[in-house]
Amino acid sequence: MAARSVVPAMGFPQTVPMPARVGRTHRTAVRMPAARSASFMGGPIAQKPSGQKCADRSFTKCYAEDASMRTRYAEDSSNLMPKLKEEVKPFEVPREFSSVQSTLKGFPAAVRMVGGAAAVLAAAGAGVVIGSQMPASFRTAGKVTVGAVAAAGATYGAVVAEKERKAGCSIELNNTMIGRVPADLARSEVEAINTAYGVDMSSEYTQDLKNMYDYYLSNIMGPSTSDVPLGGWEADALRSFKSALNLQDADAAEAHIEVGRRIFRMRSEVGERDAEMQERVAFQKLVFLSSLVFGETKARFLLPWKRLFNVSDAQIALACRTNGEVMFKKYLMSSADPVAASLEDLKQAREYQTRIGLEDAISKETFQTLCRERVEKIVAGASETLKSSGRTRVRDVSGCMSALQEVLAYNAEMEELQHAEGVALGTGPVTLWGGAFHEGNRMDELRDLFRMFFAERIKAGVYSAEAVVEMEKLVAVFGLGKKEADKIVTDVSTKCYRNYLKKAVQDGSLDAAESKAAFLTTLCEALQFDSEMAANVHSDIYKTKLESLLEKKLLTDDDMETLLRLRVLLCIPEATVTAAHRERCGVIFQEVLTKALSVGIDAFSAEQRETVVKCASDLRLETDLAISMLSESVRKVFMACIKAAKSKATRLDQAKELKKMVFFSNLVVSPLIDGIKPPTKEEIEMEAQKQMLNEVMAEAKVAAAAEEAEEAEVKRQALIKEGKLVEGSEEDQKMKDEASKTQGTLSKTAQAEADLGKGETLSINGEQVKVKSQKLITLADTMEMTDRRDLYRNYLLYCMSGDQVDLPMGSSIVIERDQTEFLRLSQLGDVLGLTPVDVQDVHKGLAEKAFQNNVQQALKDGAMTKEKSLYLKDLQKQLGLGDDAAKVIIKGVSNARLMGNVQAQVSRGTMTIDEVKNLVAQEVDIENLMSQDSRNLLYRKEVERMLTNGTGVFNKEEMINEIPKMLILDEKKVQPMVLDIAKKQKRDSLVSSIAQIRQKDADASYRSIKNMLACHQADDTTGISWPVMEELQDLYSLYLLRKGPEDGRKMLQQLLEITDATQAELASVVDAGNFTVAVKEAEDEEALF
């Protein structure tokens, strides 16, 4: 048989005893052979082929042992349909009474009693008669004995007959249920049988009742190989039948366990994996049904599944959950309109879920799944209708609209019912997210339906508030993302807006409108179309029209009038028009411009210039727009030259590439700018005035530079005469070179700036052409300032270095650059977008570098002297440096030299606090100069020095506040450090002073006493202790003897814990001259020989 999809397995241990499997029937009971149907609950049955009878065994056990019947049972259950309560009628074969039961069941009780008594008397009389035939000596005893035996036998026969008669009650009950639904059995019918037979079957024939219950339960369950789910009525039917039989829960529970054992045995008998899984499903079904019959709490007590079948609580819960889900789904599907938006049906579904004990989460998921499937079915039909409508000439989407309206209506009803009390869990709006459309990659169908629905809702030109709500609901139903839905709405709205705009232009309504802006605004508001998106549509329309007019690669006056009319109708702003012309016309202009620029410097002529200018005029490009596009192309060429220059290894090769860029700017870019944007009269006059001013300033700079150079030379000669400078020495030559180079660059650059405005005459193709540089298109916004300054500085160094010429015999000379190189330098600054201030900074930087080299050379051999200071002052004037810049350079060199010395001292550990104070006074950064550990060590050494220098003074304010602040130390860590050092040193000073006074060394002992007082000033929280008080008194007396300060006396008295009386006594002794410390006599070390 085919296995079910996936059923969680429940463990069945191999140690469980395996009773005989009981056969079950489903729709119709398996009809037994006549010979076997003679017994159901203990009656005689026909013999088996082996010749043995099973009159004392139940019908179900005998039936289960018949292998052929089990085979027939499995075959009959292969194609089962879901069962109904009325279909389960297991008791269809009547049982026959025995001859005794048939004879006695018709007699009343009184007749049975009289007949029994008569039989006993007759037997006793017959015994007496038989005994009278015995010999005379035994006759009397024989009569009594035989009569008694006969009477006893008759009595036993009567009892056996009565028992046999009562046993017929179970047969009577069985025959009562023939062709009936056991659940319909009434308690009164069972009581009537009990009364008729004079028995109480619930106590006397419990096993028979259990077998009947077992048989009904087995038939309800169906064959274990069947996949038929429970119908939901089974638990009520079993409870009703159990109640009618008056069967206790404990006895009924045994029947449930017995059915479970038979299922387990069947599982062990089958060999196929699929059949084994079906047995697991049957067991799960039994566990769930038992839980419904007895209740979850009582079932856990009466049915020890875990102990008997080794299943876990999780497996039991899984069984209940799985079967409950199937039952709940079957209940919902049993309706003609499952999950309909009916309040009564939803309440009944909730009640049913509570009755079967299904978890809320499972029932909610099941209900929502069915709701989604219902909507999916409607939506799938609408999708097919939409697809078929696209294949016809006339597109009819009314069916699709009706289907989607139905979905929205259903969703609205479910949303309204979700807050009703007692409805099924999961009631609410339906979404297709996670269903067949999403998992089956059918989202395009939903998008097409959404697009169609929205297009239909706004095709009249109005997007109403009702339609907005419907679209939001439809987005939720389809499970579309916000961006996805917005994109569809935007596309459809844009298309609709275009159509209505086209219609307004064609019928003249837009031309006739008094206010074009008001007309467009009204249209946007009706469609709820965003104004920015409408502006984009207008821009696209304008671009499309412009592109069509540009097919001939020029714009005529009529074309411009057409574009102007379109611009007025659509209220297109100036910026949009400029961008459109830049985008569309720019392609044509860029093509012509690229071709002209690509010919190079040598091939560029007036013809290329006129071609570019004519193209700009034909395309009606505005001057600023044409210059902007020219600027973009030129900057790309400039950057290519910059890239090539940076890739060169030598300064000479780099300068050649930069000169190419300058020539390109002068010979190509400057003529194009003059052609596209000719200078006005006012601009020409302003340029002339500016040029005149530049010439005057340049002459002044040249004169000032020459004067400073002359003064520098005079001072140099004076130094030579005084003997402070050796003429021709390496130092003299270096100073001359640095000053002359820097002054030369300033003067030559100034002269180049004066010549720049006059233009430059170059020979191009044999003709003398006067060109001048341009400042309109630069790299100011393209490159960083640092990169631009570096390029300018490198070219400046190239101008300063000169060309090296090799001479015969391996010699060479350096030829200075001519004036044109400095002219290129000035033009390069313009192309790089450097301002006069930036250029001045570069020149100043070189001057500062030269001055720094001289300062380093001057301070190389020692400190700054008066002669060196005067020399550097003169050099400062020669280089044109200000006082502040010179001071910064000198200070920087001095600090660097000082830093080196300090680092050496720190590494050797010879740095002192006084030296640190000097560094701080010179504004040296101590924190960066010395590490944290070095500063801590220096501070500790200073504290120890002050506590052991023998002065007896400890400046607590300086050591706790000022010095830590100077050394940038943490004040919270300084205080504990000082206390720790003072505490330890105080004890050491005490021991040293006593040891020294014992050695008669008064000077050393007095010094140790003062160190002890300094330690006490640093730490007055701890005292001292010494076992010999006289020695402490000797220390105090020595301090008095040496005339120690008065405040020191009081501090020492307090520290040594000497009372005032003792202090006065010691003072009197010292004053009287009775206390002395004998001077240590030197031992004579005379030679023995």
Side-chain angles (χ1 to χ4, degrees):
M1 299 180 185
R4 301 183 66 180
S5 56
V6 176
V7 180
M10 299 184 67
F12 292 88
Q14 300 300 325
T15 58
V16 178
M18 299 182 294
R21 176 178 171 84
V22 178
R24 280 113 47 205
T25 60
H26 178 45
R27 295 178 64 89
T28 58
V30 177
R31 298 191 179 274
M32 303 297 298
R36 190 170 296 278
S37 63
S39 174
F40 177 68
M41 287 293 183
I45 61 173
Q47 290 186 348
K48 291 188 175 183
S50 61
Q52 298 177 353
K53 294 185 178 182
C54 52
D56 59 338
R57 306 176 72 181
S58 68
F59 167 78
T60 54
K61 293 182 179 179
C62 294
Y63 174 52
E65 292 175 354
D66 193 334
S68 62
M69 294 303 296
R70 289 202 305 272
T71 303
R72 175 184 172 189
Y73 167 75
E75 293 175 354
D76 290 344
S77 63
S78 59
N79 295 309
L80 297 177
M81 298 295 291
K83 297 178 293 186
L84 299 177
K85 177 179 178 182
E86 293 75 11
E87 294 179 342
V88 183
K89 300 176 182 180
F91 302 99
E92 294 188 353
V93 180
R95 296 174 57 191
E96 297 181 358
F97 292 95
S98 63
S99 57
V100 175
Q101 293 169 341
S102 300
T103 303
L104 297 179
K105 75 171 185 175
F107 294 102
V111 174
R112 292 196 304 273
M113 294 178 62
V114 172
V120 171
L121 292 176
V128 172
V129 173
I130 294 173
S132 62
Q133 300 298 323
M134 300 180 69
S137 60
F138 299 101
R139 186 172 298 161
T140 303
K143 289 180 180 180
V144 174
T145 301
V146 175
V149 170
T155 302
Y156 176 75
V159 172
V160 171
E162 180 63 18
K163 184 177 180 180
E164 178 71 11
R165 184 192 69 82
K166 289 183 177 181
C169 65
S170 60
I171 301 175
E172 184 71 27
L173 179 59
N174 175 77
N175 295 340
T176 301
M177 293 186 293
I178 297 299
R180 296 178 56 185
V181 177
D184 296 338
L185 181 67
R187 174 73 71 85
S188 58
E189 298 180 73
V190 179
E191 293 297 336
I193 295 175
N194 287 338
T195 302
Y197 284 87
V199 296
D200 183 6
M201 285 190 290
S202 62
S203 58
E204 299 178 29
Y205 295 92
T206 305
Q207 186 60 43
D208 290 345
L209 297 182
K210 287 166 58 177
N211 289 341
M212 290 183 181
Y213 182 83
D214 185 335
Y215 193 59
Y216 186 40
L217 173 62
S218 300
N219 277 268
I220 285 178
M221 288 288 297
S224 61
T225 56
S226 171
D227 289 342
V228 178
L230 298 175
W233 53 268
E234 293 85 355
D236 294 335
L238 287 172
R239 283 195 295 266
S240 177
F241 187 54
K242 178 169 65 71
S243 176
L245 297 179
N246 196 23
L247 189 63
Q248 299 299 317
D249 288 341
D251 298 328
E254 294 181 6
H256 285 257
I257 294 174
E258 191 65 25
V259 172
R261 286 173 173 166
R262 289 198 295 271
I263 294 174
F264 176 82
R265 179 179 178 182
M266 189 64 181
R267 173 183 174 272
S268 62
E269 291 177 356
V270 298
E272 298 181 0
R273 184 177 182 85
D274 294 344
E276 183 178 347
M277 184 168 289
Q278 290 174 346
E279 298 296 335
R280 292 194 183 102
V281 174
F283 187 80
Q284 290 180 339
K285 191 191 305 182
L286 174 65
V287 171
F288 176 65
L289 182 58
S290 303
S291 177
L292 295 181
V293 172
F294 299 105
E296 184 177 356
T297 303
K298 188 177 291 186
R300 191 180 297 111
F301 174 73
L302 295 175
L303 303 170
W305 304 115
K306 184 176 182 180
R307 177 171 57 84
L308 295 177
F309 299 98
N310 194 26
V311 294
S312 63
D313 294 335
Q315 290 173 317
I316 295 174
L318 177 62
C320 297
R321 184 167 59 251
T322 303
N323 286 273
E325 181 180 359
V326 173
M327 285 181 59
F328 186 68
K329 185 174 182 180
K330 180 179 178 182
Y331 170 81
L332 295 176
M333 295 301 294
S334 63
S335 174
D337 186 10
V339 294
S342 171
L343 179 60
E344 187 64 27
D345 292 344
L346 295 177
K347 287 185 176 181
Q348 291 179 0
R350 175 62 174 169
E351 293 174 358
Y352 183 78
Q353 177 233 329
T354 305
R355 188 165 68 250
I356 65 176
L358 184 61
E359 296 179 6
D360 291 346
I362 301 298
S363 66
K364 181 178 180 179
E365 182 181 357
T366 302
F367 186 83
Q368 289 178 340
T369 300
L370 292 178
C371 292
R372 185 177 63 245
E373 291 175 353
R374 173 194 177 111
V375 175
E376 285 176 347
K377 184 177 180 181
I378 300 174
V379 173
S383 178
E384 291 298 326
T385 303
L386 182 62
K387 292 177 182 178
S388 61
S389 65
R391 294 189 291 268
T392 60
R393 294 182 178 179
V394 180
R395 190 167 183 264
D396 184 10
V397 294
S398 58
C400 300
M401 291 294 294
S402 300
L404 296 182
Q405 291 288 359
E406 180 184 353
V407 170
L408 293 176
Y410 175 74
N411 222 37
E413 293 176 357
M414 295 296 286
E415 183 176 4
E416 183 179 356
L417 290 173
Q418 70 176 339
H419 302 295
E421 184 178 358
V423 296
L425 298 177
T427 302
V430 182
T431 177
L432 299 183
W433 177 258
F437 282 93
H438 285 260
E439 296 179 356
N441 297 324
R442 299 173 59 188
M443 284 300 297
D444 289 340
E445 298 181 25
L446 297 180
R447 297 187 189 98
D448 292 341
L449 288 173
F450 184 79
R451 182 178 288 104
M452 177 274 301
F453 189 84
F454 180 63
E456 290 297 314
R457 296 297 286 157
I458 65 171
K459 69 179 182 179
V462 178
Y463 188 20
S464 62
E466 179 184 356
V468 172
V469 175
E470 288 182 345
M471 296 309 300
E472 292 176 353
K473 299 291 185 182
L474 196 59
V475 168
V477 173
F478 285 175
L480 299 176
K482 186 178 185 304
K483 293 183 178 179
E484 189 177 20
D486 290 344
K487 184 178 182 302
I488 296 175
V489 170
T490 300
D491 293 343
V492 177
S493 300
T494 302
K495 184 178 180 180
C496 184
Y497 181 77
R498 280 179 172 271
N499 293 335
Y500 275 96
L501 197 60
K502 180 180 179 181
K503 181 179 178 182
V505 173
Q506 290 177 349
D507 60 16
S509 56
L510 182 57
D511 286 297
E514 183 178 352
S515 173
K516 310 301 189 289
F519 183 91
L520 296 175
T521 302
T522 303
L523 181 59
C524 290
E525 291 177 352
L527 293 174
Q528 295 192 22
F529 195 56
D530 186 68
S531 57
E532 294 184 1
M533 296 176 63
N536 293 334
V537 173
H538 300 163
S539 177
D540 292 340
I541 295 174
Y542 186 87
K543 290 178 181 179
T544 303
K545 185 63 176 178
L546 177 60
E547 189 171 0
S548 65
L549 296 176
L550 285 175
E551 292 180 356
K552 53 184 179 298
K553 296 189 176 181
L554 59 89
L555 294 176
T556 63
D557 294 338
D558 294 339
D559 296 338
M560 295 304 294
E561 290 181 2
T562 301
L563 293 175
L564 179 60
R565 174 179 176 270
L566 185 60
R567 177 182 173 184
V568 172
L569 289 177
L570 300 181
C571 300
I572 302 176
E574 179 69 24
T576 303
V577 173
T578 302
H581 281 264
R582 183 186 187 88
E583 180 181 351
R584 296 298 189 267
C585 299
V587 176
I588 302 174
F589 183 71
Q590 189 68 37
E591 181 181 352
V592 175
L593 184 61
T594 302
K595 185 177 179 181
L597 296 178
S598 62
V599 299
I601 300 173
D602 298 333
F604 188 82
S605 63
E607 181 180 355
Q608 281 78 22
R609 173 181 177 276
E610 292 302 325
T611 301
V612 174
V613 174
K614 183 176 182 302
C615 180
S617 177
D618 291 342
L619 295 175
R620 308 300 179 95
L621 292 177
E622 296 182 359
T623 302
D624 294 340
L625 179 57
I627 291 296
S628 174
M629 299 177 68
L630 174 62
S631 177
E632 291 180 3
S633 300
V634 169
R635 285 195 184 99
K636 293 180 181 179
V637 178
F638 285 169
M639 290 305 298
C641 295
I642 296 295
K643 183 177 181 182
K646 288 183 176 180
S647 64
K648 299 302 179 181
T650 63
R651 185 177 296 164
L652 177 61
D653 294 336
Q654 186 181 44
K656 290 180 180 179
E657 296 296 333
L658 293 178
K659 280 196 289 186
K660 291 180 182 180
M661 181 176 68
V662 173
F663 283 131
F664 179 81
S665 175
N666 295 340
L667 300 176
V668 178
V669 180
S670 183
L672 289 176
I673 293 177
D674 291 340
I676 296 175
K677 187 180 181 182
T680 62
K681 183 178 180 181
E682 292 77 7
E683 291 177 346
I684 294 175
E685 293 177 355
M686 290 181 62
E687 184 67 23
Q689 294 176 1
K690 183 177 179 182
Q691 179 62 26
M692 185 180 299
L693 179 61
N694 289 338
E695 291 177 359
V696 173
M697 293 180 64
E699 292 176 357
K701 289 182 180 179
V702 171
E707 183 179 351
E708 290 178 357
E710 184 178 354
E711 292 178 359
E713 181 62 23
V714 172
K715 292 182 178 180
R716 189 182 72 83
Q717 293 296 333
L719 291 174
I720 293 175
K721 289 180 180 181
E722 294 175 0
K724 297 179 180 179
L725 184 67
V726 179
E727 185 176 7
S729 64
E730 182 179 354
E731 183 178 358
D732 178 44
Q733 187 62 34
K734 184 176 180 181
M735 292 169 57
K736 287 171 60 179
D737 293 342
E738 293 291 341
S740 62
K741 286 182 180 180
T742 306
Q743 286 298 327
T745 60
L746 291 174
S747 60
K748 292 177 181 179
T749 304
Q751 185 62 41
E753 292 176 354
D755 297 339
L756 180 62
K758 301 176 182 179
E760 180 185 8
T761 303
L762 298 176
S763 177
I764 302 177
N765 295 329
E767 298 181 3
Q768 296 298 319
V769 180
K770 190 173 184 179
V771 296
K772 61 179 181 178
S773 64
Q774 56 85 27
K775 299 182 181 181
L776 184 61
I777 301 177
T778 66
L779 295 175
D781 297 332
T782 307
M783 296 180 63
E784 296 292 337
M785 175 60 73
T786 305
D787 296 337
R788 289 184 282 140
R789 285 188 174 187
D790 289 343
L791 290 172
Y792 185 86
R793 183 182 297 107
N794 291 337
Y795 197 88
L796 174 58
L797 293 174
Y798 161 75
C799 295
M800 293 166 56
S801 62
D803 288 335
Q804 180 175 337
V805 179
D806 296 331
L807 298 177
M809 305 301 292
S811 60
S812 62
I813 61 174
V814 177
I815 302 176
E816 187 179 1
R817 305 288 181 191
D818 59 12
Q819 183 71 13
T820 58
E821 295 299 338
F822 289 93
L823 179 61
R824 301 284 174 265
L825 177 65
S826 179
Q827 294 172 349
L828 177 62
D830 293 336
V831 174
L832 294 175
L834 296 177
T835 64
V837 176
D838 298 330
V839 172
Q840 183 66 25
D841 288 342
V842 175
H843 287 270
K844 181 181 177 183
L846 291 177
E848 290 177 349
K849 182 65 177 177
F851 185 75
Q852 182 180 9
N853 293 337
N854 283 273
V855 172
Q856 291 175 347
Q857 189 67 25
L859 298 179
K860 181 179 181 180
D861 299 331
M864 180 70 70
T865 62
K866 184 178 180 180
E867 292 77 8
K868 292 180 180 180
S869 178
L870 293 175
Y871 166 71
L872 292 176
K873 188 67 175 178
D874 293 338
L875 181 62
Q876 171 191 340
K877 293 181 179 180
Q878 294 177 22
L879 297 177
L881 292 178
D883 293 339
D884 294 338
K887 289 181 180 178
V888 170
I889 294 174
I890 295 174
K891 184 176 180 181
V893 174
S894 301
N895 288 343
R897 187 168 176 272
L898 178 63
M899 292 282 282
N901 297 333
V902 171
Q903 290 291 349
Q905 284 185 295
V906 171
S907 61
R908 292 194 302 267
T910 59
M911 178 67 68
T912 64
I913 290 295
D914 293 336
E915 292 175 340
V916 173
K917 291 180 180 178
N918 292 333
L919 294 176
V920 173
Q922 298 178 28
E923 299 181 357
V924 177
D925 189 355
I926 299 299
E927 186 175 9
N928 293 329
L929 179 65
M930 302 176 64
S931 65
Q932 178 73 31
D933 294 338
S934 299
R935 285 180 274 128
N936 286 333
L937 180 60
L938 179 61
Y939 180 77
R940 175 178 285 274
K941 287 182 178 180
E942 182 65 16
V943 173
E944 292 175 349
R945 186 191 67 80
M946 293 190 69
L947 295 178
T948 58
N949 57 7
T951 60
V953 177
F954 181 81
N955 191 342
K956 195 171 184 179
E957 175 66 23
E958 180 184 11
M959 295 304 300
I960 298 298
N961 297 325
E962 296 177 3
I963 293 182
K965 185 177 181 181
M966 179 181 66
L967 293 176
I968 314 177
L969 298 177
D970 189 357
E971 296 181 0
K972 296 180 180 179
K973 297 181 180 180
V974 166
Q975 183 73 20
M977 183 189 301
V978 172
L979 294 178
D980 181 66
I981 297 173
K983 181 179 179 181
K984 181 180 178 181
Q985 196 63 40
K986 185 187 296 185
R987 179 67 181 176
D988 293 343
S989 299
L990 174 64
V991 174
S992 299
S993 62
I994 293 176
Q996 290 160 353
I997 203 171
R998 288 176 180 176
Q999 297 172 2
K1000 309 303 181 181
D1001 191 351
D1003 293 337
S1005 179
Y1006 181 65
R1007 182 183 179 88
S1008 298
I1009 292 173
K1010 288 195 289 184
N1011 290 339
M1012 185 169 56
L1013 291 176
C1015 293
H1016 191 65
Q1017 294 174 24
D1019 177 22
D1020 56 359
T1021 60
T1022 58
I1024 59 176
S1025 62
W1026 191 257
V1028 183
M1029 189 62 189
E1030 289 78 3
E1031 292 183 334
L1032 298 179
Q1033 294 175 0
D1034 290 344
L1035 294 180
Y1036 185 78
S1037 299
L1038 178 60
Y1039 193 80
L1040 294 177
L1041 182 64
R1042 290 302 181 96
K1043 306 299 182 180
E1046 184 65 25
D1047 55 346
R1049 296 178 185 181
K1050 294 181 180 180
M1051 185 185 303
L1052 185 60
Q1053 177 186 351
Q1054 180 183 2
L1055 178 61
L1056 299 179
E1057 297 181 354
I1058 297 175
T1059 62
D1060 293 340
T1062 304
Q1063 187 271 339
E1065 181 180 351
L1066 293 175
S1068 63
V1069 171
V1070 172
D1071 293 339
N1074 296 327
F1075 177 80
T1076 59
V1077 178
V1079 180
K1080 182 179 180 181
E1081 298 180 356
E1083 297 181 356
D1084 294 335
E1085 296 182 356
E1086 298 180 356
L1088 297 178
F1089 304 100

